[in-house]
Amino acid sequence: MKTRNRLSILLVALTLTACGYDDSELWEQVNQNTERIAALEAWQAETNTNIQSIQTLLSTTDYITAVTPIVEAGVEVGYTISFLNSPAITVYHGQKGDMGEQGEDGTIPQIGVTQGEDGNWYWTLNGALLADSQGNSIRADGKTGADGTSVPMPQLATGTSLSTQGVTTDMQGAALVPDAIYLSVNGGKTWARVSGEKGEQGLQGDNMFSDIDYESEPNNVTFTLNDGTTFSIPRYMGNSLTFETETLPLVYGTSKDIAVTAGGSENFTLDNLYAVAPYGWKASIALTRTAGTAFTLTVTAPDYPADGATEGEILVVLDSGQGNTTIGRLKVMATLDNNMLKEENLQPGELAAAIGNRTGLTSITVTSGSINETDWAAIMENIITLLYLDLEGVTYTGTDGNSLIYNNTSYTKPLRIAKLPQGITGLGKGAFQRCYNLTYITLPDGIISIGADAFLFCSSLVSITFPDEVTSIGEAAFAYCEDLISVTIPNGVTSIGKNAFYNCYDLSSIIIPDGVTSISDYAFYNCDLTSITFPDGVTSIGDYAFYGNELTSINLPEDLTSIGLCAFGRSYYLTSITIPSKVTSIGNAVFSDCDVLSTVICQAQTPPTLETDIFRNCAALTSIQVPAASVEAYKTAKYWIEHADIITAIP
C-alpha cells in the first residue's frame, strides 16, 4: 500500500550482522554472560510495554488526566500516562547504554509506524510495512487489520525467554539463540529472528520518545518521537465555574447580569452551557469573548411575591465534551422594594393600617389572617398601579362579600395576577373590567355568581376555572377576552348571560352544563368554536348565540324548541345539520353564509315557523330532508316553499 507522512518510531534498537565472519566463539562467550541476557530481557519487556503504549496513544479517544514521571535509582526512566476513562499506560524512554561491545558491520532493525493514505497507522520493520500471514498490513492504531479482522500487536522476546515458554525453534526451524531478539506478529504462535546473526554485540537501547511535553500547552499533551515527529492527545481540563458573587439578592421583577468564568476550557459554546432556575426565576446565558472563558448570566427574579420561589439556587451546567459535567451554584433571594407590601397573620383592619397613606403600590401579598371592607378599600386606593394581588391565604370578613368589585371601573387597570381571598361569594359588576394585562386569576371556593362585565376586556386572560358552587355567569362577563382558550363551566351553572363570551376569538370548545336551559343572545358570538356539547335540557338558543364559529357538525339537544336569529350564521365549515323534532320556530338567516352546508334534516312533523333568508348564501345546499308524511306540508309552508325543489323524505 502507498503511505504518506512516514513516521519511524524507534521502538527497538537491535544490532544485526551483515558481514560474514566466524563469530561463534564470541557468541559462546555472550551466551555465558548472564548479566547481558538479563539486561536484554529487561529491555525487551520495556520495549513491548512501549509498543502497547504507542498503540494506545494512536487509537485512544480518551483524555489524559496526568503525566507522572517514573524514577528508578534517582533517574527518570519514563512516565505513567493516566486517562479519564481508561487504564493508565507506561512509556519508557530509559537511558542509552551499551550492553556489550558493538561488533563490526552491525545493522539495527527498527520497528516503527507509518500513516497510510487511508489515515490509519501501520507497523513497519526497517521502514517496510509489517504484514500478517495473509499479507495484510498490520494496523498500529487499532485492533483491526486491513480486512477488518482482529490482529495482534507485534511483540519481542529473547531466545532465553522463549525457551522458558517451551519454544525451541524460530519460524524457519532454526534453534533459538539465547541472546537473539525475536519478533511475533501473530500473538506468539510463531517467531522470527530480527537481531543480526553476526556483528551486533552491543545493544544501544535507543529511546522510543525523545520528549513528552505536558506543560507548554494547556489543552494537550504532545509526544515527540525519536525521529522528530509529534502528535498530541487532548488533556482532561477539569472545568470549573466561578461567579463574581456567591449570593444574589434581587428585587422582585428585576434582572441583573452576573459575570461567570469557566475555568479549564476556552472551547465552550451555548450548546454545552445550560442554566436551570427555581420556579418563577429566569436565567439566560450570553457568551462574552473579551476573556476567553467568560460569559454573562442574566438572572431575573419572579415578578411578584408568591409568584415563585423566594429563595433558591441558579444552577449553571457546563458539559466539557470530555464525558463530564461541571455544576456551578448561585444562591438567589427575592427582595421587596418600596412599592411592594407583604404581610402575614393580619386581623381585620390591619392591612389598611399597613398600607396607610401609601399609594403607587405594585404588589400586595397577605399570606395569612383576615381582611374586611376597610382593608379592601385601602387596596382599591392603589388599583391604578397594582400589578400583583395575592390574598389567597386570607379570609374576607366584610359584609359585601357577595359583590366584591373594583371601584372606578371605567379606567384601565394594570393588574396582571390576582388571587382572591376565601369568604367572598360573588364578583360584582365590572370586578376586573379593563384589566387588559390580567393573565391569571384564582377564584376561591364558595363563589356563587360571576357578575356582569366581571372580566370585560381582559384580553390577556388565557384560562379560568370556576369553583363548583358557581350558578350564574352574568352578561358580558368575559366579552372581548380575546386570548381565552379554556373555560370550565361547573355543572351547577343554570344561566349564561347575554354576550357572556362575546368575541372570545380563541375559545375553541365549550361544554354547556346540564342545568342550563337556554343559551342567551350573543353568548358565544365570534368564538372560533370547533366543538359544542349541549345538555338535553336546553330548549332555546338565542340570537347570534354561535355566530361565526368553526364547527363542522352540530348535535342540537332533543328538547330544543326555538333557534334565534342568525344563531349559526357564518358557520363556514358546517356541512350538515339535524334540527330536532320539537323545534317550532327558526329565526331569520339562522344558517346564512354557511358556505359548505349541503344537507339539512328537519325531524319536526309540522314545519317550524321560519323567518326570511334562513339559508341565505348557502350555495352548496342540495338537500332538505323531512318526515315522509310531511313533505308536501314543507313544500307549501311559508319560506320553506322557496326550497321546495330540494325537499325530500328522510331516507
Side-chain angles (χ1 to χ4, degrees):
M1 62 176 286
K2 295 181 179 180
T3 62
R4 60 178 181 178
N5 300 329
R6 183 170 297 273
L7 307 180
S8 295
I9 303 176
L10 292 181
L11 305 179
V12 185
L14 304 174
T15 304
L16 297 181
T17 299
C19 301
Y21 64 89
D22 186 1
D23 61 349
S24 58
E25 182 178 352
L26 179 60
W27 277 107
E28 183 177 352
Q29 293 175 1
V30 170
N31 289 340
Q32 295 173 356
N33 188 340
T34 57
E35 290 184 3
R36 169 176 161 74
I37 293 176
L40 281 172
E41 290 179 343
W43 170 84
Q44 62 89 16
E46 210 172 80
T47 303
N48 282 334
T49 297
N50 282 347
I51 291 174
Q52 172 69 66
S53 296
I54 196 67
Q55 178 166 314
T56 298
L57 291 170
L58 289 175
S59 62
T60 188
T61 58
D62 208 343
Y63 300 87
I64 293 176
T65 58
V67 178
T68 307
I70 300 173
V71 178
E72 295 178 359
V75 177
E76 181 185 283
V77 297
Y79 298 94
T80 298
I81 312 296
S82 301
F83 295 93
L84 180 62
N85 299 307
S86 308
I89 63 172
T90 300
V91 172
Y92 289 103
H93 56 66
Q95 297 290 324
K96 289 186 178 182
D98 290 343
M99 297 182 183
E101 295 181 358
Q102 184 172 347
E104 297 177 1
D105 298 325
T107 60
I108 303 177
Q110 297 176 346
I111 291 181
V113 293
T114 186
Q115 191 173 27
E117 291 181 350
D118 59 3
N120 295 316
W121 294 82
Y122 294 86
W123 294 109
T124 62
L125 176 62
N126 295 333
L129 289 167
L130 272 176
D132 59 19
S133 58
Q134 286 76 41
N136 297 316
S137 298
I138 304 173
R139 282 179 54 170
D141 57 349
K143 296 183 179 180
T144 56
D147 60 355
T149 59
S150 178
V151 295
M153 291 183 306
Q155 53 183 310
L156 299 171
T158 63
T160 298
S161 63
L162 291 177
S163 296
T164 61
Q165 301 172 35
V167 179
T168 58
T169 60
D170 63 16
M171 62 185 302
Q172 285 78 32
L176 298 180
V177 177
D179 61 350
I181 303 298
Y182 295 84
L183 171 70
S184 176
V185 295
N186 56 12
K189 294 179 181 178
T190 59
W191 295 86
R193 180 170 174 170
V194 291
S195 63
E197 294 182 358
K198 297 179 181 179
E200 162 110 5
Q201 297 296 320
L203 195 61
Q204 293 296 314
D206 288 343
N207 298 338
M208 176 187 293
F209 300 97
S210 63
D211 184 54
I212 300 177
D213 184 358
Y214 54 94
E215 295 179 345
S216 298
E217 296 184 58
N219 297 328
N220 298 290
V221 176
T222 300
F223 296 85
T224 302
L225 308 178
N226 53 20
D227 66 349
T229 302
T230 63
F231 64 90
S232 297
I233 307 296
R235 183 194 297 270
Y236 169 64
M237 302 312 302
N239 296 326
S240 63
L241 289 165
T242 304
F243 300 89
E244 68 174 82
T245 180
E246 295 182 356
T247 60
L248 177 64
L250 202 58
V251 172
Y252 284 100
T254 63
S255 300
K256 185 174 178 60
D257 291 341
I258 300 298
V260 188
T261 301
S265 174
E266 296 184 2
N267 299 321
F268 63 85
T269 69
L270 291 179
D271 292 332
N272 56 0
L273 269 174
Y274 313 91
V276 182
Y279 170 71
W281 291 77
K282 298 177 183 178
S284 61
I285 292 172
L287 298 184
T288 53
R289 290 305 191 188
T290 52
T293 61
F295 63 90
T296 298
L297 175 69
T298 301
V299 179
T300 304
D303 284 340
Y304 314 104
D307 191 35
T310 302
E311 296 184 0
E313 287 184 328
I314 302 290
L315 302 182
V316 177
V317 181
L318 173 59
D319 180 358
S320 70
Q322 298 181 334
N324 74 299
T325 57
T326 300
I327 299 177
R329 301 173 183 271
L330 174 66
K331 185 176 182 180
V332 291
M333 298 165 288
T335 61
L336 301 174
D337 65 12
N338 292 331
N339 294 320
M340 297 178 177
L341 179 66
K342 185 174 183 180
E343 300 289 340
E344 61 182 4
N345 298 324
L346 294 183
Q347 295 301 311
E350 290 182 347
L351 177 59
I355 294 175
N357 295 325
R358 296 172 66 179
T359 58
L361 289 174
T362 60
S363 171
I364 297 176
T365 302
V366 183
T367 59
S368 58
S370 301
I371 61 173
N372 60 14
E373 304 99 318
T374 304
D375 299 313
W376 187 258
I379 292 173
M380 292 303 100
E381 291 298 320
N382 289 273
I383 194 58
I384 61 173
T385 59
L386 195 62
L387 302 176
Y388 182 86
L389 176 65
D390 181 8
L391 304 175
E392 190 172 22
V394 303
T395 300
Y396 186 77
T397 62
T399 58
D400 58 347
N402 64 339
S403 60
L404 187 63
I405 63 171
Y406 285 142
N407 57 4
N408 299 323
T409 58
S410 61
Y411 56 72
T412 300
K413 298 176 283 292
L415 188 69
R416 298 179 185 175
I417 295 176
K419 300 178 182 181
L420 300 185
Q422 302 295 318
I424 62 174
T425 57
L427 299 182
K429 180 178 175 61
F432 292 91
Q433 180 178 338
R434 298 183 187 276
C435 289
Y436 293 111
N437 297 315
L438 185 67
T439 58
Y440 179 84
I441 186 166
T442 299
L443 303 179
D445 294 337
I447 286 185
I448 297 173
S449 62
I450 307 297
D453 304 334
F455 296 96
L456 178 63
F457 296 115
C458 291
S459 55
S460 297
L461 187 64
V462 174
S463 66
I464 189 166
T465 300
F466 300 108
D468 292 338
E469 295 86 353
V470 171
T471 59
S472 65
I473 299 173
E475 290 189 10
F478 294 92
Y480 292 97
C481 289
E482 299 171 359
D483 287 347
L484 190 64
I485 60 175
S486 175
V487 177
T488 302
I489 302 177
N491 286 329
V493 170
T494 57
S495 65
I496 298 175
K498 183 178 179 179
N499 300 312
F501 296 94
Y502 185 95
N503 276 347
C504 291
Y505 303 120
D506 287 346
L507 188 61
S508 61
S509 66
I510 196 73
I511 298 175
I512 310 298
D514 290 339
V516 175
T517 58
S518 65
I519 308 298
S520 300
D521 296 347
Y522 298 90
F524 297 96
Y525 179 93
N526 263 353
C527 295
D528 289 343
L529 292 170
T530 59
S531 173
I532 306 174
T533 301
F534 293 98
D536 290 337
V538 171
T539 59
S540 66
I541 295 175
D543 296 346
Y544 290 91
F546 296 99
Y547 182 87
N549 63 75
E550 295 188 359
L551 296 163
T552 58
S553 63
I554 303 171
N555 295 319
L556 296 175
E558 291 297 321
D559 292 336
L560 187 65
T561 60
S562 65
I563 305 174
L565 168 71
C566 285
F568 294 99
R570 294 194 178 181
S571 297
Y572 293 120
Y573 303 101
L574 185 65
T575 58
S576 65
I577 191 167
T578 297
I579 300 172
S581 61
K582 295 180 182 180
V583 172
T584 59
S585 66
I586 300 175
N588 180 38
V590 68
F591 298 112
S592 62
D593 300 304
C594 292
D595 294 348
V596 296
L597 181 64
S598 61
T599 302
V600 175
I601 300 173
C602 188
Q603 296 175 330
Q605 296 291 333
T606 301
T609 301
L610 295 187
E611 296 185 26
T612 59
D613 297 325
I614 181 175
F615 298 118
R616 184 181 65 207
N617 295 331
C618 293
L621 184 64
T622 57
S623 176
I624 298 175
Q625 300 175 16
V626 300
S630 305
V631 170
E632 291 305 317
Y634 274 88
K635 286 186 175 183
T636 58
K638 187 176 181 180
Y639 298 122
W640 290 103
I641 193 173
E642 298 175 3
H643 309 284
D645 59 329
I646 60 172
I647 295 176
T648 61
I650 297 173

